[in-house]
Amino acid sequence: MATIRVTKASTVKSIKRQFSEEFNCNIRLYKGNQFADEKTKISELSKTDDAGGELELGARSRVENVERYFKETFGIKAQISNADDTKLADNSMTLTQAGKL
């Protein structure tokens, strides 16, 4: 079981790095309909007062659940994509499957 650390002080770059290292897939975080800049902190993107925390994810965690976590916890749109960030993962896929797309 991997732990992805997401706090208001986390940058987009640090979250993307954690997903890449743990699951060999990418996470896209958005500011509106645009990709969020990698230097942007979650606090700048977030539409909630939640301080964040640790997200426990396993290789079989579903893409849909990860995307929902970011939306419900921070009000941030997130999408999971394959290792080279060229294809979006289907919501029913696991994080491991997304990395193998």
Side-chain angles (χ1 to χ4, degrees):
M1 195 67 108
T3 301
I4 302 293
R5 187 155 171 75
V6 182
T7 66
K8 290 278 194 166
S10 299
T11 62
V12 169
K13 184 177 183 175
S14 72
I15 294 168
K16 289 176 82 166
R17 180 183 42 77
Q18 291 178 76
F19 270 85
S20 180
E21 288 173 1
E22 295 292 341
F23 304 110
N24 196 37
C25 66
N26 282 292
I27 185 166
R28 297 176 179 180
L29 298 176
Y30 293 83
K31 183 173 186 171
N33 289 328
Q34 306 285 323
F35 290 134
D37 184 271
E38 291 203 342
K39 295 176 185 160
T40 305
K41 292 185 178 179
I42 293 300
S43 61
E44 297 170 49
L45 297 175
S46 182
K47 296 175 175 63
T48 69
D49 292 329
D50 195 306
E54 293 183 349
L55 175 58
E56 289 284 333
L57 297 173
R60 294 191 314 223
S61 295
R62 296 261 172 230
V63 167
E64 175 181 33
N65 294 334
V66 175
E67 292 174 356
R68 186 179 326 121
Y69 169 81
F70 278 90
K71 189 68 168 170
E72 291 177 356
T73 305
F74 299 108
I76 298 172
K77 179 181 175 184
Q79 291 190 305
I80 303 296
S81 63
N82 64 348
D84 57 3
D85 202 17
T86 56
K87 283 185 184 172
L88 290 177
D90 187 86
N91 281 346
S92 62
M93 290 181 155
T94 64
L95 292 175
T96 300
Q97 289 170 326
K100 294 177 181 176
L101 268 177

